[in-house]
Amino acid sequence: MTDSLTSRPPTFYDEVVAETLGLAENLKTCLQCGTCSGSCPSGPDMDYSPRTIFAMIDAGMKDEVLRSNTSWYCVSCYYCTVRCPQEIPITDLMYSLKRMSIQAGHYQEADLDKAPEFSETFMNFVENNGRSFELGIATRYHLRYHPLGAIKLATGMGLKLFTKGRMDITPTKIKNISQLKSILNKAKELGGAA
Amino acid sequence: MKYGYYPGCSLERNARAYHDSTMAISKPLNLEFVEVDDWNCCGATEYIALNKIPAFALISRNLALAADQNIGENLVAPCSACYLNLKKADHYLAETPDLKQKVDTALEAGGLQYQPGSINVQHLLETLVLDVGFEAIEEQVQKPLYNLKVAPYYGCLVPRPAAMDSFDDPEHPISLDKLIEKLGATVVDFPLKAQCCGGHMTQISEDTALELIRHLLKNAADNEADMIATICPMCQLNLDAYQDAVNARFGTDYHIPIVYFTQLMGLAFGIPAKKLGFGKEIVSSRAALEKISDEAPQPVKNSKKVQKTSSLPMPIMIEEG
Amino acid sequence: MNDKKQIPEQLEKVGVYICHCGSNIAGTIDVEDVAKWAKNNPNVEISRNYEFMCSNTGQELIEKDIKEKGLTRIVVASCSPLMHEKTFREATERGGINPFLFEMANIREHGSWATNDKAAATQKAKALVNGAIERVVHQVPLEKIPVDINPATLIVGGGIAGITAALELAEAGNQVYLVEREGTIGGHMAQIDKTFPTLDCSACILTPKMVDVGQNDNITLLTFSEIEDVEGYIGNFTVKVRKKARCLIEELCTSCGICEEKCPVKVIDEDYGAGLGYRKAIYRAFPQAVPGYPVLDKDNCTYFENGKCRACEKFCPTDAIKFDQEDEILNITVGNIILATGYDLFDARRIPQYGYGRLPNVFSSLEFERMVNASGPTEGHIVLRDGVTEPESVAIVHCVGSRDQNYNEYCSKVCCMYSLKFAHLVHEHIPEAVVYNFYMDMRTPGKGYEEFYHRLLKEGTHFVRGRVAEITDVGRNPAEEGKLIIQSENTLLGKQQRTPIDMVLLSSGMQARHDSEEVSQLFKMGCGFDGFFTERHPKLAPVSTMTDGIFIAGACQGPKDIPETVAQAGAAASQVAKLINQGTVMMEPVRASIREDECSGCRICNNLCPYNAIEFDDEKKVSRIITALCQGCGTCVAACPSSVIDGAHFTNTQVMAELKGLLWDVQPAPQKTPA
Ligand SMILES: Cc1cc2nc3c(=O)[nH]c(=O)nc-3n(C[C@H](O)[C@H](O)[C@H](O)COP(=O)(O)OP(=O)(O)OC[C@H]3O[C@@H](n4cnc5c(N)ncnc54)[C@H](O)[C@@H]3O)c2cc1C
Ligand code: SF4
Ligand code: SF4
């Protein structure tokens, strides 16, 4: 048997709003109309639709929200944002939820989605080189976490791209990488861990 | 006209064709693109998902460099994700004092500074449509792309994020349609022209991504497009490199080349295909390009006007644009 | 200024009354403290606080104090003068002193309601009360000015609101001018097929009233006409009306309709036909139009285009066609005006993702009203845009352009009900069709309305809760090919849903007329940001406006259905009838006057007066104000270089005294001692 919802303090809601730039305050005015979820290209594959996520945030269901795949399945298409009748910056809220779920450490759990790992791989790459090359990251990411997937990728798409000269073996590096590193280190200090 | 130019990581390698064709068309159009020296990755759609302040600091380093290098106040980004990130950073820095203060401190650690608003970030399409203009583009056309049926594809990040003033309609953009028409090509109806290419879902959930890519390919094929013209490296990659996977998964047989709109402009301007990066696409565009004819096609009668007498009038549309 | 403090020779005896307004004022303001403090003013004879000053006991308190304590002035500190100034002036008068020796301080809207800070609110209340006391001692007795009411009334807009108001007044024996912009009266109700929730035929209940309007001798019907200018004030308005040329001599026309039949030009009927049907270049919107004679549409007439044709003229049996007819300008004088200009339908083309105008089988609600009507272009058959195919499935989309910050923020109130009506009509016409209603919230408050919803539930309509995200013709699988697909979230299941259907009806909201702002300026009354006309009080004066003698009725005030529209129209008519019966109204004596012997005759004020109330006496070379025309706006008072214009009840002395009183606790800046 599952428990009925108990009222929880609204701190989670405040955390989400504080983490988001722009008119995040508008989240209070969500009408639960479902325009966002109806517009969402990834909607069918999300654990909870964006609208449901907002109802859950309102109900203080922090754990469930941050463990769900919803924000990671957001493709940043901005359809929800331009269509929301209450002008809620939904796509930006999805970014906030991603950050919060990483900060909460949920992404390390094995049964979770692949997305945070992908973002992390990407980040490591950028921080060490200043540049990225999406395919290189994809390969590295697949090799590290999903060896079988990587084989498929390498023999399929990756190989083709490689022969077309569209894939690098090594990424380029910017000249002043030390400058970038000091900027990012400072920024991390200011922005809290992660 | 002189512009700062931010190629972004994709254009270095994967989307080299985009870069080459952009450079090739810049000359006849009298555009001088000066690359920001030592620019770094904008973080794509991933970095911002990790930590807000470093993400904005990462992007802002580029704005600071651009502002510092005396390359003009306009900064052109051909990649949609780069364009959005740069523009968004500038916007939020101006709007959020707390964010600005932190980013300032971070930039200082690298001996840099940036004043929001001092750089005007443009997408390449915006530069071509608004600054250069359709007329000037049409003037350069030497080999019109007669008979070539093109589906103009905008994707998400340029038309939509409306927090900033978008230069086209977020739901039904038309600027690329008009531009391609000027090249002599035939623009096919492509209702999904601003829908998602799958974005990073190719890396996260192939099921989701392939389904989205399939919708786009199907829509272009149903409307008999010879090719899809994109304005974004991510869109190009997803539609091009995963076309086989879509065919394998769904038992379809799509062969729709995905090219950059600048490549088509270059062809129409009479620039040799080699210089425009043709051949780098996985689904070959050769067959499609062979369809280009020297003669203008007969104007097709607008099917809406050939109405049976019994049919009811359509609502009159407000003049576009 | 004189060093000595100007104290009136004899101190006035002011009575001060601080109202608690229950806890509305007393909850925030220390009323006892304010009352006690007010006694310090040497002019104050008595100062009280009381729970409800507007109650009978409160008013009697004033009357009694005047009689027993010999008060000469009264100050009440309570709510806005808009609420109770009249009440207290009358109490003052009953007590035996001139009502203009009363002054009101608004410590509720300007005090207790504006803040939770008790100390600050109390301090401000003191300032407001002190200002009123200092002012009231300088006030002088004034007499109200009687104004005769012209018994004729102008009604603008001939929809069901204008028709109802016109008949109410005319049947009671009053003269009415009904001015309608289109060629016929009827408004939107004439376009509608059936009316919810009873489903009576709209035309059947409307056209008898239209006929009554046409036949009532007390009603002068001016159709195809526009108001160009409005001057005057309650009781005495002069209105300039442009009666546009119909290219037709009305007296000769027998409404036989031959011209219409013979006219070779066919154009899409954008107005009455909602764009779904066609009409001729000379046309009547519909056969029961009132008046029955047609209008010639010069923009589409071949004769006006290239000088040829004249078919109508040739065939007209009574030679009624007159191509070179000119517009006529009429000046009418009326005592009151009712605005009943109605609404526009939200244009669904503004939401591109709904495909209206792009996807043929997406229809607007008014298109559907015309389609389902037996006298409409499809003779009542529900068909797709091809004009023949019956839909097997129909989706009705609620809230189009409503409840949306991007378009209209408000709920348009009637759309849920008319969407239910549409579902019923589809079931009735095509019993096997599957019908979906996509709604955000079902809003059916009204007599018999919820019951109507239940009826539709029983009829088998599918209700899907979720605002429609987009409508597309791009199918993803064979089941979707060739259909329109509604993409939405089924919010009760939390799942995205794609619903393939044949036909979509967009339930657009009602919005203010595109020109409502200009109209409100023409009549010098207000409209809100959304363009709907503003009522004097949302609860207690819903059909009055801030301008005396101008009333509003129907959908021009806000979205509403026919029952509510008719009720408002009746209310507006009875407000006007009250004024006509009174014959005169007493107007505020707040008027300007010129001290003629001091006037230099510079004439600066003459052209500044927005009401043309200042005339120039050529013999005496002085300006003079026509009291009946003056509205007391004060423009001339401020403009006069010789300061010889006085605004009654707003004299310089009164205003300065009030200001000084308000600023009692502000320390004057330390003055330098002159060297
Ligand atoms: C699709 C649809 C279905 C509906 N169905 C129902 C229903 O079933 N039951 C129900 O109760 N309600 C229904 N309604 C609501 C109904 O239409 C309105 O309540 C009603 O028509 C309001 O009447 P009105 O006279 O205020 O305005 P209108 O009908 O708009 O009439 C205003 C008149 O003023 C004229 N006018 C405007 N401006 C000027 C001007 N400046 N000078 C001169 N003339 C002017 C116009 O030409 C028009 O004739 C429906 C509404 C819609 C959109
Ligand atoms: S579209 Fe906006 S208002 Fe509607 S459910 Fe989503 S967030 Fe809430
Ligand atoms: S921006 Fe994200 S959440 Fe919003 S519709 Fe697109 S994918 Fe869904």
PDB file of all heavy atoms in Angstrom, chain B residues 171-172 195 214-215 218 310-316, chain C residues 270 275-276 349 353 356-358 385-386 470 476 481:
ATOM      1  N   GLU B 171       6.676  29.844 -33.867  1.00  0.00           N
ATOM      2  CA  GLU B 171       5.979  28.624 -34.272  1.00  0.00           C
ATOM      3  C   GLU B 171       6.115  28.364 -35.769  1.00  0.00           C
ATOM      4  O   GLU B 171       6.282  27.229 -36.184  1.00  0.00           O
ATOM      5  CB  GLU B 171       4.489  28.712 -33.921  1.00  0.00           C
ATOM      6  CG  GLU B 171       4.197  28.812 -32.429  1.00  0.00           C
ATOM      7  CD  GLU B 171       4.157  27.451 -31.737  1.00  0.00           C
ATOM      8  OE1 GLU B 171       4.191  26.419 -32.441  1.00  0.00           O
ATOM      9  OE2 GLU B 171       4.078  27.434 -30.497  1.00  0.00           O
ATOM     10  N   HIS B 172       5.991  29.411 -36.554  1.00  0.00           N
ATOM     11  CA  HIS B 172       6.057  29.245 -38.008  1.00  0.00           C
ATOM     12  C   HIS B 172       7.011  30.241 -38.637  1.00  0.00           C
ATOM     13  O   HIS B 172       6.612  31.166 -39.324  1.00  0.00           O
ATOM     14  CB  HIS B 172       4.661  29.343 -38.631  1.00  0.00           C
ATOM     15  CG  HIS B 172       3.925  28.074 -38.523  1.00  0.00           C
ATOM     16  ND1 HIS B 172       3.950  27.118 -39.502  1.00  0.00           N
ATOM     17  CD2 HIS B 172       3.209  27.559 -37.514  1.00  0.00           C
ATOM     18  CE1 HIS B 172       3.262  26.063 -39.102  1.00  0.00           C
ATOM     19  NE2 HIS B 172       2.801  26.300 -37.900  1.00  0.00           N
ATOM     20  N   GLN B 195      10.377  21.858 -35.504  1.00  0.00           N
ATOM     21  CA  GLN B 195      10.298  20.830 -34.460  1.00  0.00           C
ATOM     22  C   GLN B 195      11.693  20.316 -34.112  1.00  0.00           C
ATOM     23  O   GLN B 195      12.657  20.540 -34.815  1.00  0.00           O
ATOM     24  CB  GLN B 195       9.425  19.659 -34.947  1.00  0.00           C
ATOM     25  CG  GLN B 195       7.978  20.056 -35.220  1.00  0.00           C
ATOM     26  CD  GLN B 195       7.068  19.873 -34.020  1.00  0.00           C
ATOM     27  OE1 GLN B 195       7.470  19.344 -33.001  1.00  0.00           O
ATOM     28  NE2 GLN B 195       5.826  20.321 -34.147  1.00  0.00           N
ATOM     29  N   ARG B 214      12.610  10.428 -37.165  1.00  0.00           N
ATOM     30  CA  ARG B 214      11.718   9.803 -38.147  1.00  0.00           C
ATOM     31  C   ARG B 214      10.591  10.774 -38.554  1.00  0.00           C
ATOM     32  O   ARG B 214      10.273  10.904 -39.736  1.00  0.00           O
ATOM     33  CB  ARG B 214      11.094   8.533 -37.550  1.00  0.00           C
ATOM     34  CG  ARG B 214      10.140   7.820 -38.500  1.00  0.00           C
ATOM     35  CD  ARG B 214       9.503   6.605 -37.871  1.00  0.00           C
ATOM     36  NE  ARG B 214       8.414   6.924 -36.960  1.00  0.00           N
ATOM     37  CZ  ARG B 214       7.144   7.134 -37.342  1.00  0.00           C
ATOM     38  NH1 ARG B 214       6.832   7.067 -38.617  1.00  0.00           N
ATOM     39  NH2 ARG B 214       6.223   7.418 -36.461  1.00  0.00           N
ATOM     40  N   HIS B 215      10.001  11.453 -37.566  1.00  0.00           N
ATOM     41  CA  HIS B 215       8.912  12.385 -37.903  1.00  0.00           C
ATOM     42  C   HIS B 215       9.362  13.389 -38.954  1.00  0.00           C
ATOM     43  O   HIS B 215       8.666  13.667 -39.923  1.00  0.00           O
ATOM     44  CB  HIS B 215       8.464  13.192 -36.677  1.00  0.00           C
ATOM     45  CG  HIS B 215       7.946  12.351 -35.566  1.00  0.00           C
ATOM     46  ND1 HIS B 215       7.849  12.825 -34.282  1.00  0.00           N
ATOM     47  CD2 HIS B 215       7.496  11.089 -35.533  1.00  0.00           C
ATOM     48  CE1 HIS B 215       7.366  11.882 -33.504  1.00  0.00           C
ATOM     49  NE2 HIS B 215       7.142  10.806 -34.251  1.00  0.00           N
ATOM     50  N   LYS B 218      10.082  11.769 -42.400  1.00  0.00           N
ATOM     51  CA  LYS B 218       8.824  11.369 -43.025  1.00  0.00           C
ATOM     52  C   LYS B 218       8.114  12.597 -43.587  1.00  0.00           C
ATOM     53  O   LYS B 218       7.618  12.591 -44.704  1.00  0.00           O
ATOM     54  CB  LYS B 218       7.933  10.684 -41.987  1.00  0.00           C
ATOM     55  CG  LYS B 218       6.565  10.287 -42.527  1.00  0.00           C
ATOM     56  CD  LYS B 218       5.785   9.500 -41.479  1.00  0.00           C
ATOM     57  CE  LYS B 218       4.489   8.933 -42.041  1.00  0.00           C
ATOM     58  NZ  LYS B 218       3.655   9.915 -42.727  1.00  0.00           N
ATOM     59  N   SER B 310     -18.495  23.566 -54.740  1.00  0.00           N
ATOM     60  CA  SER B 310     -19.201  23.256 -53.506  1.00  0.00           C
ATOM     61  C   SER B 310     -18.390  23.626 -52.271  1.00  0.00           C
ATOM     62  O   SER B 310     -18.913  23.741 -51.187  1.00  0.00           O
ATOM     63  CB  SER B 310     -19.512  21.761 -53.460  1.00  0.00           C
ATOM     64  OG  SER B 310     -18.294  21.042 -53.470  1.00  0.00           O
ATOM     65  N   SER B 311     -17.089  23.837 -52.457  1.00  0.00           N
ATOM     66  CA  SER B 311     -16.270  23.991 -51.260  1.00  0.00           C
ATOM     67  C   SER B 311     -16.440  25.362 -50.631  1.00  0.00           C
ATOM     68  O   SER B 311     -16.815  26.328 -51.278  1.00  0.00           O
ATOM     69  CB  SER B 311     -14.808  23.716 -51.590  1.00  0.00           C
ATOM     70  OG  SER B 311     -14.335  24.759 -52.395  1.00  0.00           O
ATOM     71  N   LEU B 312     -16.151  25.408 -49.347  1.00  0.00           N
ATOM     72  CA  LEU B 312     -16.358  26.622 -48.569  1.00  0.00           C
ATOM     73  C   LEU B 312     -15.102  27.470 -48.609  1.00  0.00           C
ATOM     74  O   LEU B 312     -14.001  26.935 -48.689  1.00  0.00           O
ATOM     75  CB  LEU B 312     -16.679  26.231 -47.119  1.00  0.00           C
ATOM     76  CG  LEU B 312     -17.917  25.356 -46.968  1.00  0.00           C
ATOM     77  CD1 LEU B 312     -17.931  24.678 -45.614  1.00  0.00           C
ATOM     78  CD2 LEU B 312     -19.173  26.179 -47.177  1.00  0.00           C
ATOM     79  N   PRO B 313     -15.243  28.792 -48.549  1.00  0.00           N
ATOM     80  CA  PRO B 313     -14.038  29.632 -48.600  1.00  0.00           C
ATOM     81  C   PRO B 313     -13.147  29.406 -47.382  1.00  0.00           C
ATOM     82  O   PRO B 313     -13.637  29.143 -46.285  1.00  0.00           O
ATOM     83  CB  PRO B 313     -14.584  31.060 -48.614  1.00  0.00           C
ATOM     84  CG  PRO B 313     -15.996  30.960 -48.178  1.00  0.00           C
ATOM     85  CD  PRO B 313     -16.477  29.586 -48.478  1.00  0.00           C
ATOM     86  N   MET B 314     -11.848  29.529 -47.599  1.00  0.00           N
ATOM     87  CA  MET B 314     -10.893  29.448 -46.485  1.00  0.00           C
ATOM     88  C   MET B 314     -10.820  30.811 -45.817  1.00  0.00           C
ATOM     89  O   MET B 314     -11.023  31.830 -46.462  1.00  0.00           O
ATOM     90  CB  MET B 314      -9.498  29.101 -47.023  1.00  0.00           C
ATOM     91  CG  MET B 314      -9.206  27.648 -47.200  1.00  0.00           C
ATOM     92  SD  MET B 314      -9.138  26.772 -45.632  1.00  0.00           S
ATOM     93  CE  MET B 314      -7.492  27.203 -45.026  1.00  0.00           C
ATOM     94  N   PRO B 315     -10.498  30.804 -44.526  1.00  0.00           N
ATOM     95  CA  PRO B 315     -10.280  32.099 -43.874  1.00  0.00           C
ATOM     96  C   PRO B 315      -9.152  32.837 -44.592  1.00  0.00           C
ATOM     97  O   PRO B 315      -8.181  32.218 -45.017  1.00  0.00           O
ATOM     98  CB  PRO B 315      -9.839  31.718 -42.462  1.00  0.00           C
ATOM     99  CG  PRO B 315     -10.190  30.290 -42.285  1.00  0.00           C
ATOM    100  CD  PRO B 315     -10.298  29.670 -43.625  1.00  0.00           C
ATOM    101  N   ILE B 316      -9.294  34.128 -44.731  1.00  0.00           N
ATOM    102  CA  ILE B 316      -8.271  34.918 -45.416  1.00  0.00           C
ATOM    103  C   ILE B 316      -7.115  35.138 -44.449  1.00  0.00           C
ATOM    104  O   ILE B 316      -7.308  35.551 -43.315  1.00  0.00           O
ATOM    105  CB  ILE B 316      -8.863  36.271 -45.860  1.00  0.00           C
ATOM    106  CG1 ILE B 316      -9.971  36.013 -46.890  1.00  0.00           C
ATOM    107  CG2 ILE B 316      -7.776  37.172 -46.432  1.00  0.00           C
ATOM    108  CD1 ILE B 316     -10.903  37.171 -47.091  1.00  0.00           C
TER     109      ILE B 316
ATOM    110  N   GLU C 270     -17.523  38.399 -44.940  1.00  0.00           N
ATOM    111  CA  GLU C 270     -16.650  38.386 -43.766  1.00  0.00           C
ATOM    112  C   GLU C 270     -17.398  38.739 -42.487  1.00  0.00           C
ATOM    113  O   GLU C 270     -16.975  38.355 -41.404  1.00  0.00           O
ATOM    114  CB  GLU C 270     -15.508  39.390 -43.954  1.00  0.00           C
ATOM    115  CG  GLU C 270     -14.451  38.943 -44.941  1.00  0.00           C
ATOM    116  CD  GLU C 270     -13.597  37.814 -44.387  1.00  0.00           C
ATOM    117  OE1 GLU C 270     -13.282  37.845 -43.185  1.00  0.00           O
ATOM    118  OE2 GLU C 270     -13.248  36.917 -45.157  1.00  0.00           O
ATOM    119  N   GLY C 275     -17.132  34.731 -42.820  1.00  0.00           N
ATOM    120  CA  GLY C 275     -16.140  34.274 -43.783  1.00  0.00           C
ATOM    121  C   GLY C 275     -16.465  32.926 -44.400  1.00  0.00           C
ATOM    122  O   GLY C 275     -15.739  32.438 -45.249  1.00  0.00           O
ATOM    123  N   LEU C 276     -17.568  32.316 -44.003  1.00  0.00           N
ATOM    124  CA  LEU C 276     -17.854  30.965 -44.498  1.00  0.00           C
ATOM    125  C   LEU C 276     -18.683  30.978 -45.772  1.00  0.00           C
ATOM    126  O   LEU C 276     -18.625  30.055 -46.569  1.00  0.00           O
ATOM    127  CB  LEU C 276     -18.566  30.148 -43.415  1.00  0.00           C
ATOM    128  CG  LEU C 276     -18.587  28.643 -43.666  1.00  0.00           C
ATOM    129  CD1 LEU C 276     -17.201  28.059 -43.458  1.00  0.00           C
ATOM    130  CD2 LEU C 276     -19.599  27.944 -42.773  1.00  0.00           C
ATOM    131  N   ARG C 349      -6.174  33.129 -35.852  1.00  0.00           N
ATOM    132  CA  ARG C 349      -4.965  33.146 -36.681  1.00  0.00           C
ATOM    133  C   ARG C 349      -3.754  33.599 -35.875  1.00  0.00           C
ATOM    134  O   ARG C 349      -2.619  33.362 -36.268  1.00  0.00           O
ATOM    135  CB  ARG C 349      -5.156  34.096 -37.873  1.00  0.00           C
ATOM    136  CG  ARG C 349      -5.917  33.460 -39.003  1.00  0.00           C
ATOM    137  CD  ARG C 349      -6.329  34.495 -40.023  1.00  0.00           C
ATOM    138  NE  ARG C 349      -7.508  35.209 -39.523  1.00  0.00           N
ATOM    139  CZ  ARG C 349      -8.545  35.522 -40.289  1.00  0.00           C
ATOM    140  NH1 ARG C 349      -8.542  35.217 -41.544  1.00  0.00           N
ATOM    141  NH2 ARG C 349      -9.575  36.150 -39.782  1.00  0.00           N
ATOM    142  N   GLN C 353      -0.024  27.666 -34.066  1.00  0.00           N
ATOM    143  CA  GLN C 353       0.011  26.219 -33.842  1.00  0.00           C
ATOM    144  C   GLN C 353      -1.388  25.582 -33.862  1.00  0.00           C
ATOM    145  O   GLN C 353      -1.502  24.371 -33.814  1.00  0.00           O
ATOM    146  CB  GLN C 353       0.760  25.865 -32.553  1.00  0.00           C
ATOM    147  CG  GLN C 353       0.171  26.399 -31.280  1.00  0.00           C
ATOM    148  CD  GLN C 353       0.753  27.748 -30.871  1.00  0.00           C
ATOM    149  OE1 GLN C 353       1.066  28.582 -31.714  1.00  0.00           O
ATOM    150  NE2 GLN C 353       0.889  27.974 -29.585  1.00  0.00           N
ATOM    151  N   TYR C 356      -5.448  27.639 -37.810  1.00  0.00           N
ATOM    152  CA  TYR C 356      -6.610  28.279 -38.442  1.00  0.00           C
ATOM    153  C   TYR C 356      -6.143  29.138 -39.614  1.00  0.00           C
ATOM    154  O   TYR C 356      -5.231  29.944 -39.468  1.00  0.00           O
ATOM    155  CB  TYR C 356      -7.380  29.118 -37.416  1.00  0.00           C
ATOM    156  CG  TYR C 356      -8.631  29.734 -37.996  1.00  0.00           C
ATOM    157  CD1 TYR C 356      -9.652  28.916 -38.468  1.00  0.00           C
ATOM    158  CD2 TYR C 356      -8.783  31.108 -38.100  1.00  0.00           C
ATOM    159  CE1 TYR C 356     -10.798  29.460 -39.021  1.00  0.00           C
ATOM    160  CE2 TYR C 356      -9.924  31.665 -38.643  1.00  0.00           C
ATOM    161  CZ  TYR C 356     -10.932  30.838 -39.100  1.00  0.00           C
ATOM    162  OH  TYR C 356     -12.061  31.387 -39.647  1.00  0.00           O
ATOM    163  N   GLY C 357      -6.747  28.925 -40.775  1.00  0.00           N
ATOM    164  CA  GLY C 357      -6.324  29.654 -41.961  1.00  0.00           C
ATOM    165  C   GLY C 357      -5.315  28.873 -42.777  1.00  0.00           C
ATOM    166  O   GLY C 357      -5.059  29.184 -43.925  1.00  0.00           O
ATOM    167  N   ARG C 358      -4.706  27.865 -42.166  1.00  0.00           N
ATOM    168  CA  ARG C 358      -3.704  27.051 -42.853  1.00  0.00           C
ATOM    169  C   ARG C 358      -4.247  25.648 -43.076  1.00  0.00           C
ATOM    170  O   ARG C 358      -4.104  25.077 -44.152  1.00  0.00           O
ATOM    171  CB  ARG C 358      -2.447  27.005 -41.976  1.00  0.00           C
ATOM    172  CG  ARG C 358      -1.170  26.651 -42.653  1.00  0.00           C
ATOM    173  CD  ARG C 358       0.037  27.058 -41.791  1.00  0.00           C
ATOM    174  NE  ARG C 358      -0.157  26.868 -40.357  1.00  0.00           N
ATOM    175  CZ  ARG C 358       0.005  25.721 -39.712  1.00  0.00           C
ATOM    176  NH1 ARG C 358       0.383  24.643 -40.362  1.00  0.00           N
ATOM    177  NH2 ARG C 358      -0.198  25.637 -38.413  1.00  0.00           N
ATOM    178  N   ARG C 385     -14.345  21.385 -45.153  1.00  0.00           N
ATOM    179  CA  ARG C 385     -14.164  22.557 -46.011  1.00  0.00           C
ATOM    180  C   ARG C 385     -14.484  22.251 -47.476  1.00  0.00           C
ATOM    181  O   ARG C 385     -14.805  23.145 -48.253  1.00  0.00           O
ATOM    182  CB  ARG C 385     -12.731  23.068 -45.849  1.00  0.00           C
ATOM    183  CG  ARG C 385     -12.444  24.437 -46.391  1.00  0.00           C
ATOM    184  CD  ARG C 385     -12.976  25.622 -45.595  1.00  0.00           C
ATOM    185  NE  ARG C 385     -12.361  25.812 -44.302  1.00  0.00           N
ATOM    186  CZ  ARG C 385     -12.640  26.838 -43.483  1.00  0.00           C
ATOM    187  NH1 ARG C 385     -13.522  27.767 -43.840  1.00  0.00           N
ATOM    188  NH2 ARG C 385     -12.065  26.919 -42.317  1.00  0.00           N
ATOM    189  N   ASP C 386     -14.423  20.982 -47.853  1.00  0.00           N
ATOM    190  CA  ASP C 386     -14.750  20.647 -49.244  1.00  0.00           C
ATOM    191  C   ASP C 386     -16.234  20.816 -49.541  1.00  0.00           C
ATOM    192  O   ASP C 386     -16.668  20.721 -50.679  1.00  0.00           O
ATOM    193  CB  ASP C 386     -14.283  19.217 -49.582  1.00  0.00           C
ATOM    194  CG  ASP C 386     -15.058  18.149 -48.799  1.00  0.00           C
ATOM    195  OD1 ASP C 386     -16.027  18.505 -48.084  1.00  0.00           O
ATOM    196  OD2 ASP C 386     -14.686  16.968 -48.888  1.00  0.00           O
ATOM    197  N   GLU C 470      -1.080  21.663 -29.814  1.00  0.00           N
ATOM    198  CA  GLU C 470      -1.011  22.006 -31.225  1.00  0.00           C
ATOM    199  C   GLU C 470      -1.950  21.134 -32.045  1.00  0.00           C
ATOM    200  O   GLU C 470      -2.379  20.063 -31.602  1.00  0.00           O
ATOM    201  CB  GLU C 470       0.423  21.872 -31.759  1.00  0.00           C
ATOM    202  CG  GLU C 470       0.980  20.462 -31.711  1.00  0.00           C
ATOM    203  CD  GLU C 470       2.464  20.416 -32.124  1.00  0.00           C
ATOM    204  OE1 GLU C 470       3.269  21.051 -31.422  1.00  0.00           O
ATOM    205  OE2 GLU C 470       2.765  19.770 -33.131  1.00  0.00           O
ATOM    206  N   ARG C 476       1.848  10.530 -37.974  1.00  0.00           N
ATOM    207  CA  ARG C 476       3.043   9.740 -37.689  1.00  0.00           C
ATOM    208  C   ARG C 476       2.833   8.274 -38.026  1.00  0.00           C
ATOM    209  O   ARG C 476       3.782   7.504 -38.081  1.00  0.00           O
ATOM    210  CB  ARG C 476       3.389   9.838 -36.204  1.00  0.00           C
ATOM    211  CG  ARG C 476       3.884  11.198 -35.806  1.00  0.00           C
ATOM    212  CD  ARG C 476       4.190  11.214 -34.327  1.00  0.00           C
ATOM    213  NE  ARG C 476       4.571  12.556 -33.931  1.00  0.00           N
ATOM    214  CZ  ARG C 476       4.699  12.922 -32.671  1.00  0.00           C
ATOM    215  NH1 ARG C 476       4.458  12.066 -31.687  1.00  0.00           N
ATOM    216  NH2 ARG C 476       5.045  14.141 -32.372  1.00  0.00           N
ATOM    217  N   GLU C 481      -2.784   9.325 -40.723  1.00  0.00           N
ATOM    218  CA  GLU C 481      -2.695   9.873 -42.084  1.00  0.00           C
ATOM    219  C   GLU C 481      -4.035  10.442 -42.528  1.00  0.00           C
ATOM    220  O   GLU C 481      -5.078   9.835 -42.325  1.00  0.00           O
ATOM    221  CB  GLU C 481      -2.281   8.812 -43.106  1.00  0.00           C
ATOM    222  CG  GLU C 481      -0.880   8.271 -43.049  1.00  0.00           C
ATOM    223  CD  GLU C 481       0.251   9.279 -42.988  1.00  0.00           C
ATOM    224  OE1 GLU C 481       0.100  10.421 -43.443  1.00  0.00           O
ATOM    225  OE2 GLU C 481       1.316   8.887 -42.471  1.00  0.00           O
TER     226      GLU C 481
END
